[in-house]
Amino acid sequence: MKKLLLFFAVVLFSLSAAAQKFDQLAKTPPMGWNSWNKFHCDVSEALIMKAADAMISSGMKDAGYEYIVIDDCWQVSRDENGEIVCDPERFPNGMKYVADYVHSKGLKFGIYSSAGTVTCQRRPGGFGHEYQDARTYARYGVDYLKYDWCGSTTQDAKSSYTNMSNALHAAGRPIVFSICEWGSNKPWEWAGTVGHLWRTTGDISDNWNSMIDIFEKQKDLSRYAGPGRWNDPDMLEVGNGGMTTEEYRTHFSLWCMLASPLMAGNDLENMTPETKSILLNKEMIAIDQDTLGRQATCYRDNADYQIWVKTLSNNEKAICLLNKSDEKKSVLVDFELLAGIRTFGRGFGGMMPAPPAGGAGMPGMPGIPGTPAVPGMGATAGQRPQGAGTPGATNPPSAQQRPRMPAPLTLKDYTVRDIWEHKDLTLKETSVYVDMLPHSVKVYRFVRK
Ligand code: GLA
């Protein structure tokens, strides 16, 4: 009898410890705008309403951006009942008024808090008020919550975020849950059932080194991403002035290759034509938003020259060539070879992927024994594919156990489209020299004929 009671106690405990996120949200990476990168604490009702207006007049909404998110500094205190109080000067009509306005434009509304006792700007955090705050957000009409990690001291990250996830679920309004604990506790390993996206690094700054450094840190994370569960390399800096147009184009392309959430962080009311041409490149956005939900993997890493591959639905793929160096490069690109590449999680080759681990999206795929070496390619000839033989994937079947994939598609099955030139390539030769500016990308989509 004692044993039986213990068994039920264990079952009950594990049920209460499990997160209950809203499953049908963020099936593709969330897109929107967030106030932080440009405006920091200078947020107000007027700013948010103008951002909503500009989202529409600029064409951003038509391109797929939908969330308007107020970041830190909207809150000033808690009242005698513990209710969060928004800044009465900056939000004179309260938060529901702002949410209603955003909704009236056909957009969705997001807000920010922190799992600790204070936010990063030392405003009241959510600790100890999770269920109360979740009910308040539901009453405001919140659709998206970014939940930071400031003021958290010795809290356990997974339990803290699970608690808030459950609180949101209990409040009953479907809210995208954006976990922002900066990758400190490897959220990719546990956050897939807790939230819809999780930051993987510290904050981005508006400069090349910060952006490319964050990008590099995403290399081993592709297997954790999938519909409803995204790695978040932080919000976009496109249009904020600290990078060149070329660098911003690279920033945006890399984020789209990573199937990252696309949260613009610039002043939507005052966008230059260059900024618009980047944020509104619908062909690039379509690569980010592909319904298969696969994050790109690095196929060749020659340090300052890399090739990234993102598998798309309908047996299509996006290929991104990246010149990280400060010099121009001329690279020999073998389109026949690129056409034949297939990716499974992090690995490359001609075998079926290993079965999913623990219900997660596409699992990692270690280097496949017996896979023929891929012929060299331009500046990277003879290198082994990055990610091959990487430890950490769960017991894959041996090459003999796995069925062979059907023959790979070849170049004649595809039209190759240059995503920034907005043109199909006319290839006279299958290998072509491509000139690349410093800090630039080339993005090609292999479109099925
Ligand atoms: C942290 C987050 C940022 C931003 C600020 C606000 O640094 O990582 O994205 O939300 O807090 O204070």
Side-chain angles (χ1 to χ4, degrees):
M1 184 62 186
K2 256 189 180 170
K3 272 189 182 159
L4 200 64
L5 281 175
L6 187 68
F7 172 75
F8 281 121
V10 169
V11 169
L12 272 179
F13 177 76
S14 49
L15 282 181
S16 65
Q20 282 197 299
K21 74 172 195 183
F22 286 99
D23 265 334
Q24 292 314 309
L25 302 176
K27 288 293 180 196
T28 59
M31 293 176 66
W33 172 87
N34 174 300
S35 54
W36 183 255
N37 283 356
K38 171 75 185 175
F39 298 99
H40 301 277
C41 271
D42 198 9
V43 288
S44 65
E45 172 184 296
L47 178 88
I48 301 304
M49 288 162 78
K50 277 198 269 178
D53 293 344
M55 191 84 125
I56 294 172
S57 58
S58 61
M60 296 276 286
K61 177 171 180 260
D62 284 344
Y65 296 85
E66 68 176 333
Y67 294 95
I68 296 276
V69 184
I70 310 184
D71 208 280
D72 210 345
C73 301
W74 62 269
Q75 63 287 67
V76 284
S77 58
R78 289 195 181 269
D79 70 11
E80 64 281 8
N81 300 316
E83 267 295 300
I84 193 80
V85 177
C86 65
D87 186 328
E89 272 156 38
R90 290 173 173 265
F91 296 90
N93 295 295
M95 215 41 99
K96 179 158 183 354
Y97 176 84
V98 182
D100 286 350
Y101 185 82
V102 170
H103 290 148
S104 76
K105 301 282 164 187
L107 297 165
K108 292 185 174 156
F109 179 66
I111 212 164
Y112 162 100
S113 186
S114 185
T117 48
V118 288
T119 71
C120 297
Q121 302 305 312
R122 308 204 67 74
R123 305 299 174 100
F127 186 78
H129 293 270
E130 290 83 358
Y131 281 74
Q132 182 176 25
D133 285 351
R135 283 193 298 273
T136 304
Y137 300 152
R139 215 173 42 247
Y140 288 165
V142 165
D143 306 296
Y144 182 110
L145 174 66
K146 172 174 168 183
Y147 214 48
D148 218 325
W149 192 226
C150 279
S152 56
T153 63
T154 58
Q155 278 168 248
D156 174 67
K158 184 177 177 189
S159 321
S160 299
Y161 283 98
T162 300
N163 193 22
M164 192 59 192
S165 178
N166 289 341
L168 293 173
H169 199 263
R173 184 178 170 90
I175 292 181
V176 170
F177 190 32
S178 159
I179 294 172
C180 178
E181 64 76 79
W182 323 309
S184 320
N185 298 277
K186 299 193 176 164
W188 44 88
E189 287 180 355
W190 50 264
T193 52
V194 180
H196 302 92
L197 58 155
W198 51 85
R199 280 273 297 279
T200 54
T201 66
D203 290 7
I204 194 169
S205 310
D206 187 15
N207 62 70
W208 169 261
N209 287 339
S210 163
M211 184 279 289
I212 210 70
D213 185 48
I214 288 180
F215 175 69
E216 288 288 328
K217 292 185 175 141
Q218 313 306 311
K219 242 185 206 160
D220 291 327
L221 302 182
S222 53
R223 64 188 153 139
Y224 299 101
R229 43 202 301 153
W230 309 105
N231 291 305
D232 175 8
D234 207 356
M235 301 169 297
L236 296 165
E237 291 284 9
V238 177
N240 281 337
M243 291 184 236
T244 65
T245 300
E246 199 62 54
E247 290 170 342
Y248 279 140
R249 200 176 290 130
T250 298
H251 172 23
F252 192 68
S253 305
L254 296 178
W255 263 229
C256 290
M257 289 297 290
L258 292 174
S260 301
L262 296 179
M263 301 304 275
N266 59 316
D267 180 358
L268 298 182
E269 271 199 301
N270 297 296
M271 289 199 273
T272 62
E274 291 77 22
T275 300
K276 279 192 180 178
S277 74
I278 296 171
L279 290 175
L280 293 171
N281 182 341
K282 291 185 184 167
E283 296 194 64
M284 199 67 240
I285 293 172
I287 290 172
D288 178 79
Q289 294 287 301
D290 184 81
T291 52
L292 203 56
R294 295 277 289 274
Q295 175 172 325
T297 41
C298 187
Y299 176 71
R300 281 286 190 278
D301 186 356
N302 199 20
D304 55 6
Y305 174 61
Q306 298 179 347
I307 303 173
W308 288 75
V309 185
K310 183 182 197 289
T311 304
L312 306 174
S313 46
N314 191 31
N315 231 328
E316 299 195 354
K317 70 185 114 191
I319 306 266
C320 176
L321 316 180
L322 166 65
N323 176 15
K324 290 201 305 173
S325 78
D326 301 335
E327 278 138 40
K328 278 191 190 167
K329 271 192 187 301
S330 184
V331 290
L332 183 60
V333 180
D334 181 342
F335 286 95
E336 188 69 64
L337 177 80
L338 296 180
I341 299 174
R342 286 182 294 179
T343 69
F344 304 118
R346 282 186 302 172
F348 293 90
M351 300 288 183
M352 287 287 246
M362 187 58 77
M365 185 74 180
I368 298 159
T371 304
V374 184
M377 179 157 183
T380 60
Q383 281 217 336
R384 233 171 111 68
Q386 201 281 333
T390 316
T394 41
N395 293 332
S398 72
Q400 290 77 15
Q401 288 168 318
R402 261 178 273 130
R404 279 217 149 259
M405 287 287 278
L409 294 171
T410 60
L411 190 53
K412 67 176 176 357
D413 301 308
Y414 293 108
T415 303
V416 183
R417 190 158 173 84
D418 185 320
I419 295 305
W420 287 105
E421 296 290 329
H422 300 288
K423 267 194 221 140
D424 293 346
L425 301 191
T426 342
L427 291 168
K428 292 200 186 83
E429 312 275 339
T430 57
S431 292
V432 178
Y433 274 98
V434 172
D435 290 326
M436 299 188 69
L437 294 169
H439 295 184
S440 73
V441 288
K442 279 280 180 189
V443 182
Y444 301 110
R445 183 176 181 132
F446 284 67
V447 182
R448 289 288 296 280
K449 280 185 185 158

